[in-house]
Amino acid sequence: MPISPHARAAAAAGTPPPLSWLAFLRLWTRILLLALTLIVTVPPHYLWRILHISSPWPRYYLGTAARICGARVKVRGTALRRDAFYISNHISWVDILAIAGASGTAFVAKAEIRDAPVVGWLATLNRTVFVEREDRLGVAEQINRLRDALAETWSVTVFPEGTTTDGRSLFPFKTPMLKVLEPPPPGILVQPVLLDYGAVSEEIAWIGEESGKNNAVRLLARPGTFRVTVTFLEPFHPRDFTGRKAIAAESRRRIEEALVAAIGRPLVPFTGHAQP
């Protein structure tokens, strides 16, 4: 059942979610399962790294974590196996679990994530590229880190909206991190990705002033499961578009077209958002 307008407004305002004893039990069951999965997958990951072998364990962990959190991921289209620069819309932290589980991609994330307990460490395991959004002088270094990530992990995902929406809207795509495509590294293709949570999109969305902790508690305590469809759209060569702004515009056009088809109506402007 979709979230009620009152509950959605309370969550967006930052009000901690009320928990029944059943919800509390679900929350801690999922936390324990996530911890157990981590214990099982981290040691072989480090062994693979010591042996200088490409590790599949972050992908296994993130894909399993998505399922533990209640997500039932459906993949449409074909993800490029390597040399891929994924550009996706952004709704929730579950996006990362869903896309990584489906493709094994690395991500670009705000530098604050690196300092977050547990989450920052997990992000480094998946070779996340951390960026300072306000560090105008450090853009060149950040671009170099992106190029290194592409060489090491074969694919990188960016969320160029810079924040999350309710899954029924799209913000303009920001372009600084697309500068890595000026000029495009040899062999790299851009592949737009659509994330769609269907009827529960507004419930899953991390929007407003809801804290990361409150959002995680609300989702992990949620009953049942939910569907998230990851659609890998037709890739294109960045050299066919002049500059990062044109690449961003083409990616957004394709994602918007696919999102409109998925929800069955035109997109609406998203207002009242405070960045989480």
Side-chain angles (χ1 to χ4, degrees):
M1 178 183 297
I3 192 170
S4 69
H6 175 75
R8 174 69 271 179
T15 304
L19 295 181
S20 66
W21 70 269
L22 274 176
F24 188 81
L25 180 62
R26 281 192 297 270
L27 169 67
W28 279 102
T29 298
R30 284 172 170 158
I31 289 175
L32 290 174
L33 287 173
L34 289 169
L36 178 61
T37 306
L38 197 62
I39 291 171
V40 170
T41 55
V42 166
H45 168 70
Y46 279 119
L47 177 60
W48 260 243
R49 293 293 298 273
I50 290 172
L51 297 174
H52 301 287
I53 301 172
S54 180
S55 173
W57 296 102
R59 178 177 182 177
Y60 292 157
Y61 174 75
L62 293 169
T64 303
R67 191 166 185 86
I68 292 171
C69 293
R72 297 298 179 262
V73 180
K74 180 178 181 179
V75 178
R76 291 180 175 171
T78 302
L80 295 174
R81 289 181 177 270
R82 59 180 303 154
D83 298 331
F85 194 94
Y86 300 131
I87 296 179
S88 175
N89 62 319
H90 198 16
I91 298 163
S92 165
W93 51 269
V94 180
D95 301 350
I96 294 172
L97 308 182
I99 297 179
S103 67
T105 181
F107 290 87
V108 175
K110 292 187 291 186
E112 304 92 89
I113 300 295
R114 179 173 44 203
D115 301 322
V118 182
V119 175
W121 173 62
L122 288 173
T124 59
L125 292 183
N126 198 44
R127 298 176 183 256
T128 298
V129 179
F130 297 103
V131 298
E132 300 277 357
R133 295 192 184 276
E134 304 304 321
D135 183 10
R136 303 298 183 186
L137 298 179
V139 169
E141 180 184 348
Q142 293 172 169
I143 296 303
N144 287 335
R145 291 204 297 269
L146 261 177
R147 290 185 186 274
D148 291 342
L150 278 169
E152 292 178 7
T153 63
W154 300 342
S155 65
V156 170
T157 298
V158 297
F159 298 111
E161 291 172 282
T163 186
T164 52
T165 69
D166 59 359
R168 299 292 180 265
S169 310
L170 278 177
F171 280 121
F173 281 10
K174 300 176 181 178
T175 63
M177 285 301 102
L178 301 188
K179 191 172 176 60
V180 68
L181 302 173
E182 293 181 334
I188 291 293
L189 294 178
V190 173
Q191 186 163 32
V193 179
L194 172 67
L195 292 161
D196 176 30
Y197 288 79
V200 299
S201 183
E202 288 185 303
E203 179 181 358
I204 300 303
W206 180 11
I207 58 176
E209 297 185 18
E210 185 176 28
S211 69
K213 176 185 175 182
N214 286 349
N215 181 270
V217 167
R218 184 166 62 80
L219 265 61
L220 292 176
R222 181 185 184 276
T225 61
F226 56 91
R227 176 185 60 80
V228 52
T229 302
V230 182
T231 303
F232 292 93
L233 303 172
E234 193 67 23
F236 63 89
H237 202 298
R239 70 183 175 197
D240 294 336
F241 297 85
T242 306
R244 63 184 187 268
K245 291 185 178 180
I247 294 169
E250 177 62 14
S251 300
R252 191 183 186 283
R253 183 191 69 79
R254 295 187 184 201
I255 291 172
E256 179 176 355
E257 183 178 272
L259 181 55
V260 168
I263 66 177
R265 62 176 176 78
L267 305 187
V268 295
F270 184 57
T271 58
H273 192 291
Q275 287 197 22

